[in-house]
Amino acid sequence: MPRRASATGQRVNGAGWLPKNLSVAKLQESLIAGKKAPLAKLASIVRFRKGTTIYRAGAAADTFYIIISGTVAAFQYAREKKHIAAFLYAGDLFGAADQGRYSIATMALTPVVAYAVPSSVLRMPLPEIADLHFYLVAKICDQLHQARHHALILAQLHSHTKVAMFLQMQKTLQALRGDRSAEIHLSMTRSNIAEYIGISLAALSRAFGTLKRRRIITYRGRRSVQIINAKAFQKLAGEPKSGTRFSVMPWQRPDLGRALRH
Amino acid sequence: MPRRASATGQRVNGAGWLPKNLSVAKLQESLIAGKKAPLAKLASIVRFRKGTTIYRAGAAADTFYIIISGTVAAFQYAREKKHIAAFLYAGDLFGAADQGRYSIATMALTPVVAYAVPSSVLRMPLPEIADLHFYLVAKICDQLHQARHHALILAQLHSHTKVAMFLQMQKTLQALRGDRSAEIHLSMTRSNIAEYIGISLAALSRAFGTLKRRRIITYRGRRSVQIINAKAFQKLAGEPKSGTRFSVMPWQRPDLGRALRH
DNA sequence: CGGCCGGTTGAGTACAATCAATTCTGGTGG
DNA sequence: CCACCAGAATTGATTGTACTCAACCGGCCG
């Protein structure tokens, strides 16, 4: 267990996080800025209203998307039950094709604004493409990490542990997106969380209730949670260590961000 | 639910699977051939005996590996309990770095032979690198798919369902590796499976027992399983559909395989 | 031959699923 | 601005499955 300095103090803010190659962070920043967007010439901007199915699994994948704002869920069905594989936020990318077909369905959980990029542009020899490729790869690695952490959550025995780990994860992701507030904002419903965590809605509700009664978390309304007792919370969720660090790079590439940044 | 022709009949053999871009399959083939290997000049060949920890999470990541033969487990600890995130086989790649450090530990479950590739070569401007990059990306996408399927398994309620889905997955992977035999060969212990599936060893044992007693599967010894009652098995595991198709391509690239193939 | 690791089996307990009734809440229209 | 409605969430009662602890088997290696 080597140095995990950053893990102890929740100091997982956007800056200072990527020692050498904060290029992805910068790329992301400029992508979700939206103004005079770098992708403007390659992509169009699309909107989805809450609840829209963006695409179904197996549909022809001619487009991929980069979220500018809003929350998207990637989901699939297993044995008649919906299972959410990932929540996607601003800067996240989805719709990478498998054999020209989408491998998993997606829907908008909130109103969503996104770039729609034709898959074909990835085969174009433009200079912008190199960075886009790199961004794509970095983001997919991100997704892999998150998926593995998701598996870790799903493997937990008790529902309140799952909930705590889930909240931990959302908090970390939120911090990475630059939100430094103490509150955890949940852009999905309880049902969504239950489908992600792999427990029944009833069990989820009880778990939330338990955590609140034990004065570990509070919430007013259903979309904003706050951790009151950090120590007890950590004991449940485990410290946010390796598996919780979600910004990944498959290989180093300290230079970057030429084309996309402008 | 559009055409899923390949999904119905288990015809997921190596050939005919990647309509246009069988390049990755070919790349993989030549990689695990080992003879006059394409990576010979870039990589060295290393061996690990069964049980060896190849690297720990957090260690400096100066090398990544491509398995030539054997089985590797990627694992991490959550709340004092070991959890296996993935089983890796011939052709699989592991050790991609996150900020220059490994993000998850790995160990050899069997004797393993692998290429050890210095991470630095990815930054070299050799023509071989382009294909290696592509291979790496394709493999990471693979891993993402598998991780999501893993999550699906973990989200199941009953232990025998998990076991059936696990066996299904192993069967599919085995088929993709070119093994057309009716038996499913398990290169990991029951404990390993339990750690992957997220149930106790006792429950796993009982689940195997149940499936055997119900004449859905058989096994002699512990490392080779056969499905007897395919229909009943499918009812448990669900048909091997989209989520079970593990060869992924993030974008199309019909040309390929120049440098690595020779 | 004996020990040890990996696996199976047994008994009792606890947690989460399910079904179902009730309450809450946020959005809509009067 | 308030009343109302429908979907979302909570809560209750019951059942079942997987967990734990623990004892026991069996094959493999020394």
Side-chain angles (χ1 to χ4, degrees), chain A residues 19 58 79 83 97-100 103 136 143 145 148 151-152 154 156 235-236 241-242 247 249-252, chain B residues 4 19 77 79 83 97-100 103 136 143 145 148 151-152 154 156 235-236 242 247 249-252:
Chain A
R79 301 171 57 73
H83 177 250
D98 163 14
Q99 310 304 316
S103 59
L136 193 150
Q143 291 294 312
H145 255 220
R148 286 191 171 160
L152 220 57
L154 287 164
Q156 297 305 310
K235 202 178 288 178
L236 284 176
K241 56 164 186 280
S242 103
S247 248
M249 220 73 23
W251 57 80
Q252 289 72 33
Chain B
R4 281 261 156 277
Y77 286 87
R79 301 171 58 73
H83 178 248
D98 164 14
Q99 308 303 318
S103 59
L136 193 151
Q143 292 293 312
H145 255 219
R148 287 192 169 159
L152 221 56
L154 286 164
Q156 296 306 310
K235 203 177 289 180
L236 284 176
S242 105
S247 250
M249 219 73 23
W251 56 79
Q252 289 72 34

